[in-house]
Amino acid sequence: MDFSGFNAAEQTQMTRIIEKKQMQDFMRMYSNLVERCFTSCCNDFTSKALSTKEEQCMMNCADKFLKHSERVGARFAEQNAEIMNNQQK
């Protein structure tokens, strides 16, 4: 976003709003990751510790979730760049 038309106080305010939104998005993604992987992988509650199978499942689940999120973010950035490029023409 271009904040060049804003004064310093407005730029600072907008930066804070964006940072807060980014933190909320990160926390939402983290919560979704924990819930999805826990629900999928943890099913033996006879011990405090994860079994080897559960631990491996959690690692695979988290890895897939993060790779998926990274890929979606990359595609979003590509599309956004294309839209911005087309607007400049």
Side-chain angles (χ1 to χ4, degrees):
M1 295 182 85
D2 182 19
F3 298 141
S4 60
F6 294 168
N7 65 36
E10 291 170 331
Q11 288 178 1
T12 302
Q13 177 78 13
M14 289 302 292
T15 301
R16 283 192 196 124
I17 290 170
I18 290 169
E19 288 172 352
K20 182 178 178 182
K21 177 69 174 144
Q22 288 173 335
M23 181 56 79
Q24 288 171 338
D25 289 345
F26 170 78
M27 293 305 295
R28 188 177 306 110
M29 184 182 83
Y30 178 77
S31 294
N32 288 338
L33 166 67
V34 170
E35 182 177 355
R36 179 178 295 171
C37 294
F38 181 84
T39 302
S40 296
C41 297
C42 298
N43 47 29
D44 180 13
F45 298 101
T46 59
S47 171
K48 288 182 181 181
L50 293 174
S51 69
T52 304
K53 182 180 175 183
E54 289 173 329
E55 190 171 345
Q56 187 61 46
C57 180
M58 289 293 290
M59 296 297 287
N60 291 339
C61 180
D63 189 48
K64 285 180 184 180
F65 187 91
L66 293 173
K67 284 181 181 177
H68 169 76
S69 296
E70 190 177 305
R71 185 171 179 164
V72 168
R75 295 295 175 255
F76 178 77
E78 288 172 6
Q79 288 183 346
N80 192 36
E82 186 177 323
I83 289 169
M84 296 300 276
N85 194 19
N86 289 339
Q87 287 179 351
Q88 291 177 352
K89 291 180 181 180

